[in-house]
Amino acid sequence: QVQLVESGGGKVQAGGSLRLTCQASGRLFSSAAWFRQAPGKDREFVATISYGGGSTLYADSVKGRFTISRDNAKNIVYLQMNNLEPGDTAIYYCAAPQEGSLSTLNLAWEYEYWGQGTQVTVSS
């Protein structure tokens, strides 16, 4: 069983930056991803990273602005968010599939474990 805890959310002005952190309990032996959900909208994929960190995928809406990375020695997954826009406002969730699933995944139903979410608010 894996437990995930997100942190680093907050309020920033458009053009600002935030770094989100996903801390996993114990070894996170799988790929990982970030999703987000705005009020009244479906949960949407943001970014995913393979277990080894060599492969990443991004939603078109964040490509070039966000970077997903990980530190397996610390069991942490990061999401560096630059040039934030008001449309990025949402609750951001960290997710992981079952242990041993090492490749990048971008569908919510492929994920087994979810954090509680952290709020990101971008004002203009």
Side-chain angles (χ1 to χ4, degrees):
Q1 184 175 355
V2 176
Q3 294 183 7
L4 306 172
V5 179
E6 304 96 333
S7 62
K11 297 180 180 179
V12 297
Q13 294 182 356
S17 298
L18 285 173
R19 186 181 71 172
L20 305 184
T21 297
C22 174
Q23 177 70 67
S25 60
R27 186 182 181 187
L28 185 60
F29 189 61
S30 71
S31 60
W34 289 93
F35 290 78
R36 67 187 183 185
Q37 187 165 26
K41 295 186 177 181
D42 292 334
R43 188 176 304 177
E44 66 173 338
F45 166 76
V46 176
T48 182
I49 186 168
S50 62
Y51 171 72
S55 296
T56 58
L57 292 172
Y58 297 91
D60 288 342
S61 60
V62 306
K63 194 172 299 181
R65 299 187 299 120
F66 291 10
T67 302
I68 188 170
S69 62
R70 66 191 298 164
D71 184 340
N72 286 348
K74 297 180 179 180
N75 296 303
I76 291 177
V77 180
Y78 299 101
L79 184 67
Q80 178 66 46
M81 305 185 295
N82 298 327
N83 300 314
L84 283 162
E85 304 169 353
D88 296 319
T89 296
I91 300 175
Y92 284 70
Y93 298 92
C94 180
Q98 61 183 296
E99 292 183 330
S101 181
L102 307 182
S103 300
T104 54
L105 305 168
N106 66 349
L107 300 177
W109 62 262
E110 296 174 309
Y111 287 85
E112 178 77 15
Y113 305 103
W114 296 82
Q116 83 290 343
T118 185
Q119 177 71 49
V120 172
T121 302
V122 184
S123 63
S124 60

